[in-house]
Amino acid sequence: MAGSAVEGEDIVQEAVVKALAAHDGGALVERPEQWLFRIAHNAAQDHLRRRQR
């Protein structure tokens, strides 16, 4: 999705930071794989939107 490995790494780092912040904030996670995938997917879409500007 990102187009390069460097951008992909940035997206993964952003997703991990968001996931840790949500988990520390008390988010209840029933399906952790789906939850983390959704965070990563949203982070990738956010990155693509920023790149288009």
Side-chain angles (χ1 to χ4, degrees):
M1 277 182 90
S4 75
V6 173
E7 289 181 358
E9 290 173 357
D10 290 344
I11 293 169
V12 169
Q13 288 178 0
E14 182 180 338
V16 169
V17 167
K18 288 181 179 183
L20 289 173
H23 193 276
D24 287 344
L28 298 175
V29 181
E30 291 182 23
R31 297 180 178 149
E33 291 176 3
Q34 291 176 354
W35 176 75
L36 187 55
F37 180 82
R38 175 55 60 190
I39 292 172
H41 182 76
N42 289 344
Q45 288 186 332
D46 291 345
H47 177 79
L48 292 174
R49 283 189 204 107
R50 283 192 302 266
R51 189 171 72 180
Q52 288 177 352
R53 291 185 199 164

